[in-house]
Amino acid sequence: MRDLGAGFRHLLEGQRWVARHGRQFGFGLLPGLITLVLYLAALVALAVWGADAVAWATPFADDWGSPWQGLFRGFLTVVLFALGLLLAVVTFTAVTLLIGGPFYDTLSQEVDRDVSPDGTAPQSGLSFWRELWISARDSLRIVVRAGIWGVLLFALGFVPFAGQTVVPVIGFFVTGFFLTEELTAVALQRRGVQLRERLALLRSRKMLVWGFGTPLGLAFLVPLAAVFLMPGAVAGATLLSRELLGEETRDGDDDHEGDRYDANDTGVPTPRPQPPAGSPAPGR
């Protein structure tokens, strides 16, 4: 249970970080807005033509009498739309990260610099196009895995009672796991952590992952919430990645003796001015 709270705390800390860095937050909205328009168009199409698709896929029910045909196909139409919504939530992050990859990578580096004791951020050393290829390849693999889970949960949705109670809950935890994987990939890929290793790392701390990703997945169901929460989610996932790897992290709001490094808009760490010699220390 402690890890659940820690995961949720990283989610909140990420939102706080972008709130203190308005320029980063503003640029982070653009990829989410583009992705939102694309997904809304797809969901509207599914709502308009979903019933026709179900009727085409269930020709065996053509001769069923009323009200059974309507109830059966109506139920499948609702489940189909719910499945589409689940996949939209899971894949929204992947598509948004691909569209806004360069910015989100820069944002993640700024977070690393801000909370790292030495004011530095790990670098992958790979070219832009190589990083883009790896990100796209890994995102596709995650989408396929999420799709398999989606089909399985769709089938389990036909189980009486459990399909309407237990399965949706499992679905949100599955969504939270894959959301967290996509978001932490930004920071972990810079550290050279491959997909297989990332998945093993996340499975070793499931409670921490669920504490971060499940509330985020629920929030993403609120219209427009995903767009506004995305920059903070990337920032929070960077903090989560540091905990998963056991990296030392300091609070960006705390004062420390010696030089204090803050991330600025240029990404260059700058030392905080020190008090004149002989002046009393703060708080004394």
Side-chain angles (χ1 to χ4, degrees), residues 94-95 97-99 126 128-146 178 181-182 185 188-190 192-199:
V95 176
L97 289 174
L98 282 177
I99 294 175
L126 301 176
F128 167 76
W129 294 110
R130 178 61 178 169
E131 286 187 345
L132 184 63
W133 161 249
I134 293 175
S135 178
R137 181 196 64 192
D138 290 350
S139 293
L140 180 60
R141 290 175 177 175
I142 291 299
V143 168
V144 170
R145 290 170 183 263
F178 285 117
E181 195 289 326
E182 287 287 352
L188 294 177
Q189 186 174 309
R190 281 192 292 108
V193 183
Q194 301 299 316
L195 177 60
R196 187 183 300 273
E197 298 169 324
R198 293 201 302 266
L199 290 173

Side-chain angles (χ1 to χ4, degrees), residues 29-269:
L29 296 179
L30 296 178
L33 285 171
I34 295 172
T35 309
L36 179 66
V37 171
L38 296 175
Y39 273 63
L40 283 178
L43 289 174
V44 168
L46 187 60
V48 173
W49 290 294
D52 294 336
V54 169
W56 172 82
T58 56
F60 57 86
D62 288 342
D63 298 328
W64 291 12
S66 178
W68 306 116
Q69 184 192 81
L71 289 174
F72 176 70
R73 286 179 169 171
F75 171 74
L76 289 184
T77 301
V78 171
V79 172
L80 178 64
F81 186 82
L83 177 61
L85 190 61
L86 173 64
L87 291 177
V89 171
V90 171
T91 60
F92 180 90
T93 302
V95 176
T96 304
L97 289 174
L98 282 177
I99 294 175
F103 168 79
Y104 290 131
D105 186 64
T106 301
L107 187 154
S108 178
Q109 291 184 50
E110 293 292 338
V111 175
D112 270 325
R113 291 190 184 100
D114 195 36
V115 302
S116 175
D118 59 2
T120 61
Q123 302 291 331
S124 67
L126 301 176
S127 67
F128 167 76
W129 294 110
R130 178 61 178 169
E131 286 187 345
L132 184 63
W133 161 249
I134 293 175
S135 178
R137 181 196 64 192
D138 290 350
S139 293
L140 180 60
R141 290 175 177 175
I142 291 299
V143 168
V144 170
R145 290 170 183 263
I148 293 173
W149 271 97
V151 171
L152 177 61
L153 293 173
F154 176 80
L156 292 175
F158 291 98
V159 179
F161 183 72
Q164 295 75 46
T165 54
V166 178
V167 172
V169 174
I170 295 175
F172 281 120
F173 279 100
V174 170
T175 300
F177 182 89
F178 285 117
L179 275 179
T180 306
E181 195 289 326
E182 287 287 352
L183 290 164
T184 54
V186 178
L188 294 177
Q189 186 174 309
R190 281 192 292 108
R191 291 161 165 83
V193 183
Q194 301 299 316
L195 177 60
R196 187 183 300 273
E197 298 169 324
R198 293 201 302 266
L199 290 173
L201 194 62
L202 293 172
R203 292 190 188 108
S204 69
R205 300 286 299 277
K206 288 190 180 74
M207 299 296 282
L208 182 69
V209 170
W210 287 335
F212 180 90
T214 303
L216 184 63
L218 289 169
F220 275 14
L221 294 177
V222 178
L224 298 179
V227 175
F228 291 98
L229 294 177
M230 192 63 183
V234 173
T238 302
L239 299 174
L240 179 67
S241 299
R242 296 181 67 89
E243 177 167 346
L244 287 170
L245 294 174
E247 297 179 356
E248 184 179 356
T249 298
R250 64 175 177 79
D251 188 342
D253 291 330
D254 291 340
D255 287 329
H256 298 267
E257 294 183 2
D259 285 345
R260 154 79 182 269
Y261 288 86
D262 294 312
N264 53 31
D265 289 337
T266 63
V268 179

